[in-house]
Amino acid sequence: MSGHRRRIAKVYGIEKGTRGCSLVPRVSLRQKNAQLIFDDLETWLHAQLPKIADKSLSAKAIRHALSWMPKTRACLDNGFLKLDNTSAECAMKPARLV
């Protein structure tokens, strides 16, 4: 598993550990355990950009990830926010009848 995937997996592991927690303990756990991973991931992303072609798909993906970092980091300070929008996407999909 590559470095960025390992970091993201760690964040999701921490998030899994916050299930069932009320909002204040969730924020505390996120800040204690995930903030350093977010910092490390952001630093790593910035370090990768100069190493790759500016117009490559990888560079585009990294710039996209960096543009979303402030919004993603908001979950560190707000226990109500989810790390991703998977539950919202699933709720919007129509039920399939088999």
Side-chain angles (χ1 to χ4, degrees):
M1 188 181 296
S2 63
H4 66 286
R5 287 190 177 123
R6 196 170 38 256
R7 289 173 183 93
I8 292 167
K10 284 181 183 179
V11 171
Y12 274 96
I14 293 164
E15 191 64 14
K16 185 177 181 180
T18 68
R19 285 190 197 136
C21 291
S22 60
L23 301 181
V24 173
R26 182 176 296 135
V27 167
S28 178
L29 287 168
R30 285 174 176 172
Q31 289 177 346
K32 178 182 174 190
N33 300 312
Q35 185 145 359
L36 289 176
I37 299 169
F38 272 84
D39 295 344
D40 184 48
L41 177 60
E42 189 168 6
T43 299
W44 182 84
L45 289 168
H46 279 291
Q48 299 315 300
L49 270 178
K51 298 176 184 179
I52 56 179
D54 190 48
K55 295 186 180 196
S56 69
L57 290 177
S58 294
K60 182 179 178 181
I62 289 172
R63 283 191 297 275
H64 178 75
L66 288 169
S67 75
W68 276 94
M69 220 22 140
K71 293 174 180 105
T72 307
R73 282 180 176 271
C75 76
L76 295 173
D77 299 319
N78 187 329
F80 183 74
L81 295 176
K82 304 277 186 189
L83 186 58
D84 60 33
N85 65 352
T86 302
S87 57
E89 287 180 5
C90 289
M92 291 184 342
K93 290 182 182 178
R96 292 177 66 188
L97 300 174
V98 181

